Amino acid sequence: MKNFEIPGHLEVKNGHLHIGGMDTVELAREYGTPLYITSEDRLRDNFGRFKKAFPDAHIYFAAKSNNNIVVQRILAREGAGADAFSDGEIYLARLAGIPPEKILFTGNSKTDAELEYAVNSGVMVSVDSHDELISLSGIASRLGKEVKIAFRVNPDVSADAHPKLATGLKTSKFGIPSQEIVSTYKKAKELPGVNPVGIHCHIGSQILEISPFAEAMSKMMDLVEAISGFIDLEFVDIGGGLGIPYQKDVRAPTPQDWADAVLPIFRERCAKLGINPELHIEPGRYITADTTILLAHVNTVKKAYKNFVGTDVGFNLLIRPAMYDSYHEVVVANKADGTAADTYTVVGPICETGDILAKDRKLPEIKKDDIIALLDAGAYGFCMSSQYVGRPRCAEVLVHEGKADLIRKRETYDDLLQNQIIPGRLL
Ligand SMILES: *Cc1c(COP(=O)(O)O)cnc(C)c1O
């Protein structure tokens, strides 16, 4: 290790990696591996960074980035709203204590049943298509309700993100093309059951440059200008997408950089138009990613074509490296101040060649039964997990001021059978 600075909520004491004041090697012993460990302080700090940078904005946590109810509850108490991409996420956000008027339902292909659930829950809806507008208007009218809506705009901004993470290109499946926005708002004004009060975009994820955010803000304000003559705009939602430095030598923008790039445009254009809408932002990854590490146990170290370290964590628990070629720093938790001795490729226990967590890393000498920590695993980590290859999902622990709480139990063999039904003739 020692090839990067350990972030502040992590520390090395007695050669062991610590998080939230707790020794990770002890936590592995007590709770077993694999194990997700989240620092409550870091979570609150990260949320606080957005509050400070965007003092007047409303922060809607992108719920899909971490679906743990405890994480969402902590954020709810910090004042977060939620960007919910499904009815299930609306359900969880409500359970976490987020009031419905602070939830925006943002899916791109919603069922009528989901829309009805949203209407009955009293949340706002970001409408992604004309078909959805017609369905929602019909459903809300039938229920005798009126829903506040925004339209998801496709701003045609190219963000420097992984192709699977860019959502604002004109070729992407998300949103309504800019040139159709005016006619769409006019149409919505005439329809019963829907009240168009917002405008929404989200240009992508893990964005490490600031200019696409500024470009999107300008394009959004062009559209705001085009509709402000006939729409009483209550909010402008510019989505999330701020990247984090997974590789610690990469410079990544901060919430303050984001705010510095977009707030002047927002304020100036609003002042010019004489309007005063709220600004909404929807960070996910930046709030949760670095709060959490994933501990793995080393089952084997094999010298073959490369030095392969076989662990108990595969893409069943952290799919990002396999899905997005993403990078997670690796720390040997029980040799955290050791110097690099060799080059290792860390792999999982899934029968797929792509089940690689980290390629060609310089690490201290690794032996069987060492504990490995994968950093920055709190966003799009556990929530994308599966039971592939008959592996029950692992536990999650929250650490706070030198104490640990189990916040998700490790699954058992029984969970592998959950909801499966054996027909009588096969019993
Ligand atoms: C996923 C998503 C976000 C959050 O993106 P991050 O990169 O995690 O910040 C925000 N808004 C919408 C609509 C999303 O789909």
Side-chain angles (χ1 to χ4, degrees), residues 18 46 51 81 105 122 158 165 171 174 179 201 219 228 235 244 247 270 298 315-316 332 341 355 369 386 415 417:
H18 285 59
N46 285 348
K51 281 206 270 199
F105 180 26
S158 142
L165 295 176
T171 52
F174 299 101
Q179 62 275 16
C201 76
K219 288 193 167 175
S228 63
F235 69 90
I244 70 137
Q247 271 170 285
C270 286
V298 175
F315 73 60
N316 54 318
V332 186
D355 186 32
D369 297 330
S386 74
D415 293 306
L417 282 170

Side-chain angles (χ1 to χ4, degrees), residues 62 64 83 85 106 152 200 202 205-206 240-241 282-285 380:
K64 73 177 187 293
D83 150 31
F85 213 82
T106 60
R152 169 86 176 250
H200 175 218
H202 168 67
S205 197
Q206 184 53 17
E282 301 171 335
R285 183 189 310 275
Y380 309 103

Side-chain angles (χ1 to χ4, degrees), residues 50 60-66 83-85 89 104-107 126 152 165 167 174 200-207 213 237-243 258 281-288 379-380:
F50 286 101
Y60 280 48
F61 172 60
K64 73 177 187 293
S65 70
N66 187 311
D83 150 31
F85 213 82
E89 286 191 353
L104 181 68
F105 180 26
T106 60
S126 171
R152 169 86 176 250
L165 295 176
T167 55
F174 299 101
H200 175 218
C201 76
H202 168 67
I203 58 172
S205 197
Q206 184 53 17
I207 297 168
F213 290 111
D237 184 331
I238 56 171
L242 195 64
W258 186 18
I281 57 173
E282 301 171 335
R285 183 189 310 275
Y286 195 97
I287 293 177
T288 51
Y380 309 103

Side-chain angles (χ1 to χ4, degrees), residues 19-324:
I19 177 167
M22 305 283 293
D23 185 333
T24 56
V25 180
E26 291 292 324
L27 289 171
R29 208 169 288 148
E30 184 172 349
Y31 294 96
T33 59
L35 185 67
Y36 272 97
I37 310 171
T38 296
S39 158
E40 178 173 342
D41 287 352
R42 185 62 175 186
L43 185 64
R44 290 185 192 272
D45 285 354
N46 285 348
F47 191 78
R49 282 188 185 94
F50 286 101
K51 281 206 270 199
K52 183 156 176 275
F54 292 88
D56 303 321
H58 295 240
I59 306 165
Y60 280 48
F61 172 60
K64 73 177 187 293
S65 70
N66 187 311
N67 65 4
N68 189 290
I69 193 77
V70 177
V71 166
Q72 292 197 21
R73 205 163 254 265
I74 292 166
L75 293 173
R77 295 201 177 160
E78 292 285 334
D83 150 31
F85 213 82
S86 66
D87 51 350
E89 286 191 353
I90 295 172
Y91 172 79
L92 287 175
R94 297 285 289 113
L95 268 186
I98 298 175
E101 60 276 12
K102 280 168 68 176
I103 297 175
L104 181 68
F105 180 26
T106 60
N108 73 293
S109 176
K110 307 176 180 89
T111 65
D112 284 359
E114 278 181 294
L115 288 172
E116 183 161 339
Y117 181 74
V119 172
N120 281 326
S121 306
V123 304
M124 299 181 290
V125 178
S126 171
V127 175
D128 191 274
S129 68
H130 293 268
D131 279 349
E132 184 186 333
L133 175 65
I134 303 300
S135 302
L136 182 60
S137 167
I139 289 165
S141 309
R142 173 164 58 74
L143 296 171
K145 304 217 165 142
E146 189 180 80
V147 193
K148 286 189 174 186
I149 65 166
F151 286 100
R152 169 86 176 250
V153 177
N154 181 336
D156 186 14
V157 170
S158 142
D160 176 29
H162 186 281
K164 285 185 188 158
L165 295 176
T167 55
L169 304 173
K170 69 169 176 247
T171 52
S172 120
K173 72 171 180 177
F174 299 101
I176 292 171
S178 301
Q179 62 275 16
E180 289 173 29
I181 282 298
V182 170
S183 59
T184 305
Y185 275 87
K186 283 194 172 142
K187 170 107 203 213
K189 268 212 94 160
E190 289 161 10
L191 288 173
V194 288
N195 182 14
V197 295
I199 186 163
H200 175 218
C201 76
H202 168 67
I203 58 172
S205 197
Q206 184 53 17
I207 297 168
L208 290 173
E209 279 176 16
I210 276 301
S211 57
F213 290 111
E215 188 188 340
M217 185 83 253
S218 292
K219 288 193 167 175
M220 287 292 275
M221 293 315 291
D222 291 344
L223 296 173
V224 167
E225 186 169 343
I227 60 172
S228 63
F230 62 98
I231 294 289
D232 234 345
L233 204 62
E234 292 181 14
F235 69 90
V236 178
D237 184 331
I238 56 171
L242 195 64
I244 70 137
Y246 284 102
Q247 271 170 285
K248 300 303 169 200
D249 51 356
V250 166
R251 210 203 85 79
T254 62
Q256 192 61 53
D257 295 330
W258 186 18
D260 290 345
V262 299
L263 286 184
I265 302 171
F266 178 69
R267 288 178 180 146
E268 190 196 322
R269 302 276 310 256
C270 286
K272 231 190 227 163
L273 293 167
I275 57 172
N276 194 19
E278 293 171 353
L279 181 68
H280 292 192
I281 57 173
E282 301 171 335
R285 183 189 310 275
Y286 195 97
I287 293 177
T288 51
D290 74 0
T291 63
T292 301
I293 62 173
L294 173 55
L295 293 188
H297 177 263
V298 175
N299 295 325
T300 60
V301 182
K302 179 167 69 180
K303 269 201 194 308
Y305 170 67
K306 288 181 173 184
N307 291 325
F308 288 111
V309 178
T311 73
D312 54 1
V313 167
F315 73 60
N316 54 318
L317 290 177
L318 184 66
I319 203 172
R320 300 191 63 261
M323 177 133 159
Y324 310 111

